[in-house]
Amino acid sequence: MKPAPASLLAFALLLPCPAVAEDWPQWQGPTRDLAGSETGLLKEWPEGGPPRLWMCEGLGKGYSGPAVVGGVVYLMGADDGAAFLVAVDAESGKEKWRCELAEEFTNGWGDGPRSTPTVDGDNIYAITSRGAVSCVSKAGELVWQTDMLELGGKVPTWGYAESPLVDDRAVYCTPGREQGSIAALDKQTGELIWQSTEATAESHYSSLVSAEINGVPQVVQQLPTVILGVAKDDGRVLWQEPWFKPIAAIPTPIVDGNRVYFTCGYGKGSALYEIGEDFSVTEVYKNKVMKNKHGGVVLIDGYVYGHSNPDGWTCQDFATGKRVWSERSELGMGALGYADGMLYLLDKDTGDVALVEPSPEGYEERGRFTLDPQSEIRKPRGRIWVHPVVSDGKLYLRDQELLFCFDVKAK
């Protein structure tokens, strides 16, 4: 076969790459680190932001984020004293079904569920703020339910907020306290497989991540007094390190090979650790460059991006911990999403949504709009805390009973 002419190869390079659409089956996407493979999205927004496709109303109170699989959006809400899982058609924005799960959680900062459901196979797994762990079929029928309080847990001050981690055999969750901080449940039955009795710290609000360090499959978690890795097969603690004791430990850890990164707000900071072959823990750095309260962080090309309170939106060198830049005047504190090389930043107070190109050179905004309308049932101390999600060319934003869907596909 003759090689293609150079002119033909040059022409092929000029052709646009086909767009890749991707499901968003759980908190922070397919690999739970915001590093999805979706492409073909807008790199700049028109004046006023991308077009809105629909708005779904009546989804109840709460801060539960969306999971999107097979053209269906799954999230939780609460109304009339009960928390529920709800399914919404991604094309029309119409509710398909809802399944009642447990008693509603009430709190001065806002009522209802706080976590994102996880979709795995034919089922959806969800954790309510009071600790009910549920498995619901895609038809909307409750398959099984257990309770983290029965595993020795205690509802944290602002309610359970972690999103369940699911793999081939188990649902992993963090009840906390003396019976074992972390638990693995059989995903088919809800029966307890193991509980990490060597770890007994109370639970806070961070979500577990799956990792393989030194060839050992494990789950990694941030608790208020300790950070740790627990073996998936039997719940033994592989490594652990004392932590900051923040008022609230919220952001999800970042795992990169044998390096683990943690951050928390309330004046505390961030740290990077290296896990040795013998599971010894070596501190690479610990500083106050990234003090991320609850908006989340993402690792992109060797840099961590997120909001550091009160310094503003921040870029931090992942390897050294040094501050690259901070920007506090353009957009207030809030939640972060990421897709196709772009950051989606949401100001929790104003509802401003900004499209930002991540760059160590500085804050590079490529468009913004303000979420409108906004919820009228949100408690006075509550804010727009649900993280932006992008799936199949659609940007999803939630403010309590309202779920918005915007078209962010490149034309």
Side-chain angles (χ1 to χ4, degrees):
M1 180 182 292
K2 292 183 179 180
S7 59
L8 182 60
L9 291 175
F11 175 74
L13 291 173
L14 294 174
L15 294 175
C17 295
V20 175
E22 186 174 52
D23 283 337
W24 195 266
Q26 61 175 333
W27 166 246
Q28 293 199 156
T31 50
R32 200 166 269 223
D33 57 3
L34 292 172
S37 60
E38 182 144 339
T39 60
L41 305 179
L42 291 170
K43 300 300 183 181
E44 191 166 339
W45 286 343
E47 185 72 24
R52 192 177 84 186
L53 297 174
W54 49 258
M55 179 181 72
C56 182
E57 303 179 69
L59 296 178
K61 294 165 282 188
Y63 302 98
S64 172
V68 188
V69 173
V72 181
V73 185
Y74 302 95
L75 67 167
M76 291 186 287
D79 259 335
D80 299 324
F84 53 81
L85 178 69
V86 61
V88 175
D89 182 81
E91 290 302 315
S92 66
K94 303 297 184 183
E95 183 175 325
K96 294 169 65 72
W97 53 256
R98 62 177 60 190
C99 176
E100 186 173 318
L101 300 177
E103 182 184 354
E104 178 182 351
F105 176 80
T106 58
N107 183 268
W109 296 88
D111 303 337
R114 274 96 163 101
S115 70
T116 299
T118 298
V119 184
D120 179 79
D122 294 328
N123 295 320
I124 306 102
Y125 299 86
I127 299 176
T128 70
S129 299
R130 291 190 178 276
V133 184
S134 305
C135 173
V136 177
S137 74
K138 284 185 175 177
E141 301 294 330
L142 184 65
V143 178
W144 57 257
Q145 186 175 86
T146 188
D147 199 310
M148 291 210 278
L149 303 187
E150 295 176 1
L151 300 174
K154 180 184 178 182
V155 178
T157 301
W158 293 290
Y160 280 108
E162 77 164 316
S163 302
L165 176 65
V166 183
D167 67 9
D168 292 340
R169 71 162 183 159
V171 180
Y172 302 92
C173 57
T174 312
R177 298 172 67 85
E178 288 77 10
Q179 287 181 216
S181 296
I182 299 170
L185 309 174
D186 186 300
K187 73 176 185 180
Q188 303 298 334
T189 65
E191 296 295 319
L192 181 67
I193 299 174
W194 55 253
Q195 201 159 350
S196 57
T197 54
E198 297 172 294
T200 57
E202 66 177 329
S203 178
H204 261 202
Y205 313 96
S206 180
S207 292
L208 291 155
V209 294
S210 182
E212 186 169 309
I213 301 175
N214 299 330
V216 181
Q218 56 196 269
V219 292
V220 176
Q221 180 61 297
Q222 174 185 187
L223 298 170
T225 57
V226 66
I227 54 174
L228 73 168
V230 172
K232 280 187 172 184
D233 59 355
D234 61 5
R236 69 190 186 280
V237 173
L238 297 167
W239 57 268
Q240 60 181 322
E241 183 75 7
W243 193 228
F244 282 124
K245 297 183 181 179
I247 293 173
I250 302 173
T252 302
I254 294 173
V255 180
D256 180 59
N258 70 331
R259 298 181 296 177
V260 291
Y261 173 97
F262 301 84
T263 179
C264 55
Y266 300 92
K268 298 303 182 180
S270 60
L272 180 69
Y273 299 92
E274 189 171 284
I275 309 302
E277 292 184 0
D278 59 352
F279 289 109
S280 58
V281 181
T282 300
E283 181 183 302
V284 180
Y285 59 79
K286 182 185 287 185
N287 60 38
K288 295 191 176 186
V289 169
M290 184 68 76
K291 302 180 291 292
N292 187 262
K293 194 172 182 180
H294 50 59
V297 291
V298 61
L299 175 62
I300 305 169
D301 297 331
Y303 299 94
V304 178
Y305 296 87
H307 190 279
S308 181
N309 189 35
D311 307 311
W313 293 96
T314 296
C315 173
Q316 179 186 31
D317 188 297
F318 179 73
T320 67
K322 294 181 178 179
R323 186 189 313 276
V324 181
W325 55 258
S326 290
E327 172 56 62
R328 60 181 300 177
S329 63
E330 294 292 336
L331 190 75
M333 181 169 71
L336 170 150
Y338 176 73
D340 193 19
M342 301 298 285
L343 296 168
Y344 295 76
L345 308 183
L346 170 64
D347 186 318
K348 67 180 179 65
D349 294 315
T350 65
D352 286 350
V353 185
L355 183 68
V356 173
E357 182 177 349
S359 168
E361 300 303 315
Y363 181 93
E364 300 285 349
E365 192 168 306
R366 302 299 184 213
R368 74 160 60 194
F369 68 97
T370 302
L371 201 60
D372 182 58
Q374 294 181 17
S375 174
E376 296 183 356
I377 68 170
R378 191 179 345 117
K379 286 193 173 180
R381 288 195 290 177
R383 297 293 185 268
I384 306 174
W385 284 319
V386 181
H387 290 228
V389 164
V390 178
S391 176
D392 192 22
K394 300 179 179 69
L395 166 64
Y396 296 94
L397 298 166
R398 182 188 184 177
D399 182 14
Q400 298 294 311
E401 80 280 16
L402 307 176
L403 177 66
F404 302 82
C405 177
F406 297 88
D407 183 3
V408 292
K409 289 180 184 175
K411 305 307 179 195

